Amino acid sequence: MSNWLESKTRTSRKWRRTCCAAGLLVFVAIIAGIAIGFASRKNKVDGLAPPTYVDPEKPTTVPVITQFPPNPNLHKSFYGLDYNPAKTIMPWCGAGIQDVVNDINVISQLTNRVRLYGMDCGQADLTFQAINLLKLNATMKVVLTVWVDNNATTYQRQYDALFRVLDTYGTSMVQGISVGNEAIFRKDVTLADLGTRMATVRSEIKKRYNANIPIFTSEIGNNLNSALAGVSDELSGNLHPFFAGVEISTAAQWTFSQYKIKIEDNPTPSGLNGTISEVGWPSAPASSVNMPLAVPGVANLQTMVDTFICQANAVKMPYYWFEYKDEPWKNNPEYPIESNWGLFDKSGNLKIKIPDCPAP
Ligand SMILES: *[C@@H]1O[C@H](CO)[C@@H](O)[C@H](O)[C@H]1NC(C)=O
Ligand SMILES: *[C@@H]1O[C@H](CO)[C@@H](O)[C@H](O)[C@H]1NC(C)=O
Ligand SMILES: *[C@@H]1O[C@H](CO)[C@@H](O)[C@H](O)[C@H]1NC(C)=O
């Protein structure tokens, strides 16, 4: 959602190396564009119907379809997938159980692990309900995210939803809990504040359920350091070669080396291995080239998958592919790649060939 500043930082570093006056002007214009994009996209969600909140606590009166023919093009080759169900951003709620069952049916043919981005609009409830309805509760695991922004009301709502969900569905399907996603990067919160929130969630989980669920946050690579490791059960990094301006032919290699430098070299007190919480490549538009070697495209998405997935599986590297499906509500003329990171397009058409190498 917001790796723009990281790309800005890295752009800036690159420009300094090759700087010239004209280049600097272009750079300033790009930053201004990004800033305007930031400002105008705030609270803006395109392509969604008006709110029709579906209370996940109320049993649906419509029978849910749970039997699907398996898709022979899908293989369980992904360690995990990032998943943003459509219509789960306040106040544009509206996701229903059938939507999420349809998604989890597809996702479960690619991976046993799914990572969510928030608690609003019943998205965690719907995900657990879908897993139960599809009888996948013994195999599927979920990373929950308590979304952190700069609004205390939002946080309390997300925090309360977390415990309501855990009370309802238990902790056995919970792989981990991310307190925030790129919240330090957005300067919505300080590391100290986030550390306190993580500690509160950790002790509350222990007290209520006597469960050892890893508690962490998810951050851009540049924010993964020993200070963050010190207050986290594991480091969870959004490592994006695209935003770093890496050429596709070396993008997987870059990601592996970032995992070592940013995650493995910053051990946490728990001793748990860290995770890549986001890795992927945008498929469009080809004109949105990043600095200037990182080129969006379906062929490059295929290359990223082909050079990363089986290689990461072979060394048991934990990662969540960003992401399951295109998110048309992130459409932004200022930054058009945002809505094009899916393995599937917004209509559910698979963009690439899925490799066949079972994930650990
Ligand atoms: C999955 O659900 C079934 C039926 O509700 C239950 O019997 C079983 O214990 C559950 N398995 C796990 C691992 O939670
Ligand atoms: C925080 O969020 C709540 C509800 O989501 C909203 O009513 C309130 O205006 C927000 N506060 C600030 C300071 O933005
Ligand atoms: C952590 O990673 C190392 C090296 O890849 C691996 O040998 C070990 O089994 C992992 N530990 C856990 C708990 O997954």
Side-chain angles (χ1 to χ4, degrees):
M1 194 162 188
S2 37
N3 291 274
W4 305 342
L5 279 182
E6 178 170 49
S7 79
K8 182 188 85 170
T9 311
R10 292 171 191 225
T11 307
S12 160
R13 203 181 302 148
K14 186 152 185 104
W15 273 116
R16 229 172 283 140
R17 244 186 285 136
T18 57
C19 190
C20 61
L24 204 60
L25 270 181
V26 172
F27 172 66
V28 168
I30 289 169
I31 299 312
I34 289 171
I36 290 162
F38 246 126
S40 67
R41 92 201 292 268
K42 246 196 171 172
N43 301 323
K44 181 160 158 266
V45 178
D46 290 332
L48 285 189
T52 46
Y53 183 66
V54 179
D55 186 350
E57 299 284 273
K58 290 208 187 91
T60 172
T61 49
V62 183
V64 180
I65 299 161
T66 58
Q67 297 294 319
F68 306 90
N71 181 340
N73 297 321
L74 305 185
H75 307 287
K76 267 193 169 171
S77 300
F78 290 79
Y79 181 89
L81 275 185
D82 289 312
Y83 173 44
N84 250 317
K87 303 183 188 178
T88 56
I89 298 174
M90 292 274 274
W92 296 275
C93 295
I97 184 63
Q98 187 69 64
D99 304 323
V100 179
V101 164
N102 294 350
D103 287 341
I104 295 293
N105 165 57
V106 176
I107 289 170
S108 69
Q109 295 175 65
L110 292 163
T111 184
N112 284 330
R113 300 176 189 86
V114 66
R115 173 172 170 263
L116 298 174
Y117 281 83
M119 302 299 300
D120 278 345
C121 306
Q123 64 182 279
D125 306 69
L126 291 165
T127 299
F128 285 128
Q129 284 175 22
I131 291 170
N132 285 332
L133 283 166
L134 292 164
K135 301 191 173 21
L136 294 166
N137 63 326
T139 48
M140 285 288 282
K141 300 274 188 231
V142 182
V143 173
L144 298 171
T145 297
V146 182
W147 183 259
V148 173
D149 59 16
N150 57 11
N151 184 320
T153 309
T154 307
Y155 186 70
Q156 192 62 46
R157 185 177 69 237
Q158 301 263 333
Y159 180 93
D160 292 345
L162 171 70
F163 288 103
R164 182 180 54 71
V165 162
L166 295 177
D167 284 348
T168 309
Y169 302 95
T171 57
S172 70
M173 286 184 271
V174 181
Q175 170 92 20
I177 298 170
S178 188
V179 181
N181 182 67
E182 302 186 356
I184 298 174
F185 166 66
R186 287 191 307 273
K187 299 195 178 2
D188 280 346
V189 74
T190 62
L191 170 58
D193 182 356
L194 200 56
T196 305
R197 294 186 204 209
M198 282 191 255
T200 303
V201 171
R202 190 177 294 118
S203 67
E204 197 62 24
I205 298 269
K206 187 85 192 150
K207 191 173 87 192
R208 290 197 194 207
Y209 314 111
N210 194 28
N212 278 317
I213 300 172
I215 312 297
F216 46 86
T217 192
S218 302
E219 268 297 333
I220 64 163
N222 287 347
N223 287 342
L224 303 178
N225 52 39
S226 58
L228 183 61
V231 295
S232 308
D233 291 334
E234 62 177 68
L235 283 186
S236 177
N238 296 344
L239 304 182
H240 282 294
F242 179 82
F243 288 116
V246 176
E247 212 264 319
I248 188 63
S249 62
T250 54
Q253 206 45 57
W254 178 90
T255 312
F256 291 127
S257 75
Q258 290 290 301
Y259 181 80
K260 167 153 188 10
I261 298 163
K262 300 288 171 49
I263 296 181
E264 282 188 330
D265 290 352
N266 287 307
T268 58
S270 73
L272 289 174
N273 286 339
T275 304
I276 300 177
S277 35
E278 289 184 6
V279 57
W281 198 269
S283 65
S287 55
S288 289
V289 171
N290 192 28
M291 329 182 237
L293 297 176
V295 182
V298 172
N300 287 351
L301 169 61
Q302 180 77 65
T303 300
M304 188 63 199
V305 164
D306 288 347
T307 51
F308 182 82
I309 295 297
C310 299
Q311 293 78 350
N313 292 348
V315 296
K316 297 186 165 43
M317 183 179 286
Y319 63 88
Y320 288 77
W321 189 265
F322 187 82
E323 58 187 329
Y324 159 56
K325 204 190 223 180
D326 283 351
E327 302 186 22
W329 58 93
K330 285 187 180 171
N331 225 335
N332 183 332
E334 300 290 340
Y335 218 68
I337 58 155
E338 288 289 331
S339 53
N340 294 302
W341 288 76
L343 294 171
F344 297 84
D345 69 17
K346 64 181 179 186
S347 310
N349 301 305
L350 185 58
K351 296 178 189 172
I352 57 157
K353 185 176 188 302
I354 301 293
D356 191 0
C357 52

